Amino acid sequence: MKIVRDRDGDAVRVALTGELDLASSDDVRSCLEEALAETRPARLLVDMDGVAFCDSTGIEALILARQAAVAQGTRLELVNVHGIARTTLEITGVLRLFS
Amino acid sequence: MRFRVLAIVAVAYTVGAQLAFVVFDADSIVVLFLPAGVTLSALLLRPRRDWPWILLTVAVLEVLIDVGHGLAPLSALGFAAANTAEPLTGALLVRRAVPGPIDLAQRRHLLAFLAFGVVAGPAVGALIGGTTIALDADRGWFSSFLPFWAGDATGALTVAGTVLTWRRSALPRAATAVLVTVAVTTVGFWPQHLPLFYLPIPLLFWLGFTQPLAVTMPAGLAMTVAANTLTGAGRGPWAALDGPIELKTATLQLFLAVAVLGACFLTVGVTERDRAVGAAHQLQQALLPAVGPQLPGIRVSAGYRPADLTHHVGGDWYDVFAAPDGRIGFAVGDVVGHNLAAAAAMARLQSALRVLAQTAAGPAEVLAGLDRASAVIDGAHMCTVAYADYHPPTRRLRYACAGHPPPLLLTPQGPEFLWEGRSMPLAIEPGPRPCAEHEIPTGAHLILYTDGLVERRGESLHAGLNRLAGTATTAAGQPGTDLTRSLLNRIPHGGPAIDDAVILHLIFEGASAPH
């Protein structure tokens, strides 16, 4: 999993590339929580354009990061969600949490 | 019984001691003393009242053998003292730490055996025996002590290890392992100037990883005997080494002991892991209810398929029970994680759901209640659940899915996924949950399942759902086919199943056409 963070106006964008699964979910979660703690942005955009696959542990990582965001007043949004990752998030009913 | 034991000890001790004199040549660099393990294991396996007889037998034999080989009577007495004090010390200390039956696959037992039976006991023996050699042969004390200790420790480890782990049922495998080990060790210890002595190590470690100690220990003993025999015959790298003889002796035994120990530790590690996984599997199996024909209006079958990875324990469950107003409640759920904690969380959620279903107005309220309950259940976060109830007189099915894949309904019109009543997994955000209703035609099938049945890496969940619908339709169209079995056996991964899966299969019968 490749994780790139940059500024996007008043938002912080974290772009994920690779498979969001058991092997990468801990990394993703800690990167997102780090970005939240260090930058405290109004919005944290998680760019899912490069995410080819997402399983339940990946979803859990996103949800836990979202809870950390809500706790400090940041909105965490998923952008460019498509393909298998989108289907998985839709079927599990969590996609609407992130838009 | 006592005489049989004494006879066995006498024969084994004599053979081992003769081997030390003849094959290993007590004057050469080889000092492997296998009888150390014979006496130690005899003491550890027999009650205390037999110990004096065992020790007396050993002492008498030691004196007879030594004198027979031309040693002075005083030296023979010294060795007799060494070879009785050593196992006595080891056995007393081991028995203090492990009073009951000894199982070397348990960490504590193995450590006690190593510390007391293999290290401390032989150290005592070497104190007496080394002093005897030093006085008798006029050698330096330390160069007498060290080989004695190393030789007895290796003998105690391999022989007592083999005897203490002996199982008749493992005999064929043990015999094969011994033959292969001897062959590989011979190859490793044949060339003198080509270091190949490590060749048996991967074999021994593989045995340690895959086989019980009853197979690994005899193989370790075989490697030790073969390596010492070849070295005694002048083969192998140790025979060609320069340097002080006691160091060569000690390092050869050390090498062999380290290899056997490595294999033992692997076995202990694997055994401990398997015990934990076994307990979790048992717990999970015990929590899945036996599905019987006692519920009116439906026929139910269910199945569970564990993941192929043996250390993988699932948090998947199903449940079927009677609910108020003549309804039948059924649920399938999936807890995040694959360990004992996940199985425990699953158990708590399952009980909570059953209780909630007795008072809640419908599936939506059951899930909302589970949301609240899961806040105080460790490990319930992100759990997905499908809950439905069925009212046979009105043929109404009510269902709600918390982040769970949709139930599959099979009717004469074809397969249909029930996509309504969806909401997110448990314990993420409180709030009301939607519920949907469906009228069920006679003879319809409903299939609830967990994602392990449909998920395949690198593939859309839709593709997995389509595959499930196809397989289920085919199986339902063939009377006499066990639909649950055929779905579970059709592993969707093309390889080992990486996730466990459960299936709950219901057939709705006609109100006036009971089977």
Side-chain angles (χ1 to χ4, degrees), chain B residues 13 21 33 55 58-67 71-87 121-137 141 144 148 152:
Chain B
Y13 193 92
F21 270 106
F33 193 67
L55 292 171
V58 165
V60 169
L61 282 170
E62 181 65 36
V63 169
L64 289 177
I65 294 165
D66 289 350
V67 172
L71 267 69
L74 208 59
S75 301
L77 284 177
F79 288 128
N83 287 314
T84 45
E86 170 184 314
V124 169
L127 274 177
I128 305 171
T131 309
T132 307
I133 296 174
L135 293 174
D136 177 70
W141 185 82
S144 307
F148 196 106
D152 278 32

Side-chain angles (χ1 to χ4, degrees), chain B residues 306-342:
Chain B
D308 287 339
L309 302 169
T310 48
H311 60 271
H312 215 111
V313 180
D316 288 11
W317 91 88
Y318 59 77
D319 205 358
V320 186
F321 49 86
D325 306 327
R327 293 176 189 277
I328 301 156
F330 37 95
V332 164
D334 187 351
V335 173
V336 178
H338 296 99
N339 50 30
L340 205 49

Side-chain angles (χ1 to χ4, degrees), chain B residues 100-195:
Chain B
I102 296 171
D103 174 11
L104 293 186
Q106 285 186 36
R107 185 192 301 230
R108 207 170 53 80
H109 293 199
L110 180 67
L111 290 179
F113 171 69
L114 293 176
F116 304 135
V118 176
V119 176
V124 169
L127 274 177
I128 305 171
T131 309
T132 307
I133 296 174
L135 293 174
D136 177 70
D138 200 19
R139 279 207 288 186
W141 185 82
F142 186 70
S143 58
S144 307
F145 169 83
L146 189 64
F148 196 106
W149 190 17
D152 278 32
T154 313
L157 170 66
T158 52
V159 173
T162 300
V163 175
L164 291 176
T165 58
W166 179 263
R167 273 211 329 250
R168 189 186 292 270
S169 58
L171 197 55
R173 278 179 294 159
T176 314
V178 164
L179 288 177
V180 177
T181 308
V182 167
V184 175
T185 310
T186 306
V187 174
F189 275 77
W190 196 261
Q192 294 210 314
H193 300 291
L194 205 59

Side-chain angles (χ1 to χ4, degrees), chain A residues 19 21-22 52-57 59-61 63-64 66-67 70 83-84 87-88 90-94 96-97, chain B residues 336 381-382 384 402-406 419 422-425 427-429 451 455-462 465:
Chain A
E19 297 191 330
D21 57 11
L22 188 63
F53 176 80
C54 178
D55 72 0
S56 53
T57 53
I59 294 176
E60 194 191 15
I63 285 174
L64 291 172
R66 179 182 174 276
Q67 286 174 346
V70 169
I84 295 175
T87 313
T88 310
E90 272 173 354
I91 288 179
T92 48
V94 297
R96 64 172 188 78
L97 277 178
Chain B
V336 178
H381 187 249
M382 277 287 296
T384 72
H404 204 84
W419 278 109
R422 302 196 63 73
S423 52
M424 69 186 76
I428 294 173
E429 268 193 352
D451 57 7
E455 219 171 43
R456 184 190 277 183
R457 276 201 81 80
E459 179 190 86
S460 156
L461 209 47
H462 283 301
L465 294 179

